[in-house]
């Protein structure tokens, strides 16, 4: 592995371009198509304003918040590291934030494995959905085993494909829009339907902060991570805003249920609107979106488990790095096992995987709100800390994050919130039953000088 290694053994090889495309490409996937169907049925064409306004403003605000925190504490683990700096490493709050972020990555990003399987089955009915999903799991485990430099470069490649395909679709669509489809702009009202679109819109934007978990592998995190986050926020706002605007002008909002009820809604729309060319075109786009999100999910989950294990909250075997590739090996295999489980969810229920996606939104909303709270606390209590990047329009910016994602949780529905809370309770139990004993064991070994060195 070429590149400088930091004191903890991870290789500093990821440059700004790769970070930007990783942030962007991790997000662009079926979450948009899952969400836009709900947006259409809830608010009609008014929903496209949600992507421009709510999605855009909240994403930029979140990017600014994470940019300040990530440059203050440029370590693997992202939000868990920031929480630890405020509440302390022993605090159950710190542990729970790490647990819930892993939860968000687990459900919010791994559901794309199911999407990839469905796309394969839609195009090739003889291949079962679970087979397509399992093949994807194997490919991306092997890719990430080779190291962060290769996996981030592949993510950048997906980013180029996605930008090109989405831009082409939007340009083509602009010349084929039917203005009459916008006339019934707010068929269900304005304020309440607009607010109810929040969970459907947010699901499209979640996940771009994944690059903060790569801070220890970034060549220049203090400069590159803020630019990657802000660049991704710009891409995503323009992308989802323009794409939703075009699609609402191509397909009557009242007919969206015909497409979103299928397992591959984007391909169904492409087939109906553009024919065979649309299937080919959007197949590439759909696959690239799902695969890039899966790859980003692996990157984030592995580094989250590694960062927490390094402090003793998981077995020390989780901290072992591959001697050449400098990849946390055990977290990678744990992540692979979770991916296999998620890929099989459709065998339990046809709606289980969409539930998983919205559970991811629950986790992300909590994490983004926590990041905003941490930033406010650190501005008030630790104004002396060095801040290479300062969040603009403070305190308005973090307050926007808290309000938007608080409303997102409220309008997600009781069932999602109950299941998400139950997962949090499981995390609390693991903290006391598994985490604390392992943490205390590591402390004793460090005090007696018996800690084993796993990475040479």
């Amino acid at each position: 592995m070429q590149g400088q290694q930091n004191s903890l053994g991870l290789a500093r090889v990821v440059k700004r371009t790769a970070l930007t495309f990783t942030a962007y490409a991790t997000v662009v996937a079926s979450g948009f198509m899952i969400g836009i169907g709900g947006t259409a049925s809830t608010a009609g064409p008014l929903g496209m304003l949600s992507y421009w306004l709510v999605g855009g403003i909240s994403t930029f605000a979140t990017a600014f918040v994470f940019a300040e925190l990530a440059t203050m504490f440029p370590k693997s683990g992202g939000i868990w590291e920031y929480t630890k700096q405020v509440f302390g490493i022993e605090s159950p709050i710190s542990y729970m934030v790490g647990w819930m972020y892993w939860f968000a990555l687990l459900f919010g990003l791994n559901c794309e494995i199911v999407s990839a399987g469905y796309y394969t089955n839609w195009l090739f009915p003889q291949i079962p959905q679970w087979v397509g999903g399992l093949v994807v799991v194997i490919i991306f485990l092997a890719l990430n085993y080779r190291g962060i430099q290769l996996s981030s470069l592949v993510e950048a490649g997906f980013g180029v494909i996605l930008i090109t395909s989405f831009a082409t679709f939007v340009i083509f669509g602009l010349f084929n829009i039917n203005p009459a489809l916008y006339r019934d702009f707010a068929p269900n009202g304005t304020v309440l339907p607009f607010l109810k679109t929040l969970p459907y819109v947010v699901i499209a934007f979640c996940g771009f902060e994944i690059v903060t978990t790569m801070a220890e592998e970034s060549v220049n995190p203090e400069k590159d991570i803020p630019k990657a986050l802000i660049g991704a926020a710009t891409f995503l706002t323009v992308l989802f805003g323009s794409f939703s605007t075009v699609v609402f002008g191509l397909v009557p909002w009242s007919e969206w249920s015909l497409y979103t009820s299928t397992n591959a809604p984007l391909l169904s729309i492409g087939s109906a609107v553009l024919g065979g060319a649309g299937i080919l075109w959007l197949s590439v786009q759909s696959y690239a979106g799902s695969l890039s999100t899966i790859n980003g999910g692996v990157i984030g989950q592995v580094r989250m488990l590694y960062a927490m294990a390094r402090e003793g909250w998981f077995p020390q075997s989780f901290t072992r790095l591959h001697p050449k590739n400098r990849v946390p090996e055990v977290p990678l295999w744990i992540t692979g096992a979770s991916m296999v489980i998620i890929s099989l969810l459709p065998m339990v229920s046809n709606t289980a995987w969409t539930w998983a996606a919205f559970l991811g939104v629950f986790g992300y909303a909590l994490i983004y709100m926590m990041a905003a709270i941490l930033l406010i606390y650190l501005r008030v209590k630790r104004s002396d800390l060095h801040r290479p990047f300062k969040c603009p329009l403070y305190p308005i910016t973090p307050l926007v994050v808290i309000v938007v994602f608080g409303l997102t949780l409220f309008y997600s529905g009781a069932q999602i919130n109950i299941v998400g809370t139950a997962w949090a309770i499981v995390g609390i139990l693991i903290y006391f039953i598994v985490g604390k004993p392992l943490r205390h064991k590591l402390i004793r070994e460090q005090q007696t000088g018996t800690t084993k060195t796993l990475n040479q």
Side-chain angles (χ1 to χ4, degrees):
M1 169 73 68
Q2 299 296 318
Q4 179 185 0
Q5 290 182 8
N6 61 39
S7 60
L8 296 168
L10 296 172
R12 288 198 181 277
V13 293
V14 184
K15 298 181 180 180
R16 183 192 308 167
T17 301
L19 284 171
T20 302
F21 279 115
T22 297
Y24 163 77
T26 297
V27 178
V28 183
S30 64
F32 174 72
M33 293 312 301
I34 292 173
I36 197 170
T39 300
S41 62
T42 301
L46 173 68
M48 67 186 183
L49 291 184
S50 291
Y51 288 96
W52 284 109
L53 298 178
V54 177
I57 292 172
S58 63
T59 301
F60 272 103
T62 305
F64 292 143
V65 167
F66 271 93
E68 177 168 327
L69 293 171
T71 53
M72 291 172 67
F73 312 110
K75 292 186 177 182
S76 180
I79 183 66
W80 180 71
E81 177 65 31
Y82 321 145
T83 310
K84 188 180 68 175
Q85 294 289 339
V86 171
F87 291 96
I89 192 172
E90 303 292 340
S91 171
I93 296 176
S94 300
Y95 182 90
M96 286 306 301
V97 167
W99 174 259
M100 292 307 294
Y101 188 45
W102 184 67
F103 167 83
L105 295 172
L106 173 67
F107 287 104
L109 301 186
N110 278 359
C111 66
E112 292 301 330
I113 300 166
V114 179
S115 296
Y118 275 135
Y119 294 146
T120 303
N121 178 254
W122 197 90
L123 293 169
F124 308 100
Q126 67 273 23
I127 301 177
Q129 175 276 328
W130 68 270
V131 172
L134 190 59
V135 170
V136 167
V137 170
I138 294 171
I139 291 173
F140 283 97
L141 286 178
L143 173 66
N144 279 269
Y145 188 73
R146 295 296 302 273
I148 187 63
Q149 189 169 33
L150 177 60
S151 53
S152 62
L153 287 174
V154 169
E155 197 76 352
F158 283 134
V160 172
I161 293 172
L162 289 166
I163 289 174
T164 303
S165 60
F166 268 103
T168 306
F169 180 87
V170 168
I171 293 171
F172 174 85
L174 287 174
F175 290 99
N176 292 274
I177 282 177
N178 179 3
L181 297 181
Y182 297 123
R183 289 175 184 169
D184 192 14
F185 191 71
N188 301 325
T190 53
V191 177
L192 187 59
F194 186 81
L195 292 174
K196 287 182 177 180
T197 64
L198 285 175
Y200 300 113
V201 171
V202 165
I203 194 175
F205 289 86
C206 289
F208 72 103
E209 81 302 322
I210 199 77
V211 294
T212 63
T213 69
M214 301 164 62
E216 290 181 27
E217 294 157 296
S218 169
V219 173
N220 190 350
E222 292 188 355
K223 292 184 177 180
D224 292 349
I225 287 183
K227 291 179 180 179
L229 290 168
I230 296 168
T234 304
F235 278 135
L236 294 170
T237 301
V238 173
L239 170 69
F240 292 137
S242 58
F243 196 92
S244 62
T245 301
V246 167
V247 170
F248 275 114
L250 294 176
V251 181
W253 71 270
S254 57
E255 296 179 9
W256 271 84
S257 60
L258 299 176
Y259 305 109
T260 56
S261 60
T262 69
N263 291 325
L266 190 58
L267 299 188
S268 298
I269 291 173
S271 176
V273 176
L274 305 174
I279 295 177
L280 178 61
W281 185 356
L282 294 179
S283 292
V284 174
Q285 182 172 298
S286 298
Y287 267 113
S290 288
L291 297 181
S292 64
T293 299
I294 294 166
N295 189 41
V298 175
I299 292 172
Q301 289 175 77
V302 168
R303 279 141 192 84
M304 194 68 234
L305 291 175
Y306 169 75
M308 295 184 72
R310 197 167 60 190
E311 303 289 358
W313 295 109
F314 292 115
Q316 286 303 288
S317 60
F318 282 40
T319 66
R320 184 175 62 243
L321 301 177
H322 186 280
K324 180 181 178 182
N325 301 332
R326 313 309 293 174
V327 174
E329 293 181 290
V330 174
L332 181 62
W333 305 132
I334 296 293
T335 298
S338 71
M339 293 168 72
V340 171
I341 293 172
I342 295 295
S343 72
L344 299 177
L345 282 178
M347 299 179 70
V348 178
S349 167
N350 286 333
T351 60
W353 73 290
T354 54
W355 255 77
F358 282 106
L359 283 173
V361 172
F362 174 89
Y364 277 118
L366 288 179
I367 292 306
Y368 292 169
M369 291 170 67
M370 175 57 78
I373 292 170
L374 293 174
L375 184 140
I376 294 172
Y377 177 90
L378 289 166
R379 283 287 189 102
V380 174
K381 297 294 185 179
R382 298 296 307 275
S383 58
D384 59 308
L385 290 174
H386 175 57
R387 290 172 167 81
F389 178 92
K390 293 192 73 172
C391 175
L393 299 178
Y394 173 87
I396 295 174
T397 300
L399 291 176
V400 166
V401 174
I402 293 170
V403 170
V404 169
F405 290 102
L407 288 171
T408 298
L409 287 176
F410 180 80
Y411 286 107
S412 291
Q415 290 180 317
I416 294 294
N417 285 303
I418 289 172
V419 175
T421 302
W423 182 264
I425 293 172
V426 171
I428 293 172
L429 294 175
I430 292 177
Y431 168 79
F432 285 105
I433 297 172
V434 178
K436 286 193 72 174
L438 287 173
R439 167 70 181 163
H440 291 162
K441 178 184 177 183
L442 177 63
I443 293 174
R444 288 193 302 269
E445 290 177 348
Q446 290 174 338
Q447 290 173 343
T448 59
T450 58
T451 306
K452 296 180 180 179
T453 301
L454 297 179
N455 303 307
Q456 300 295 333

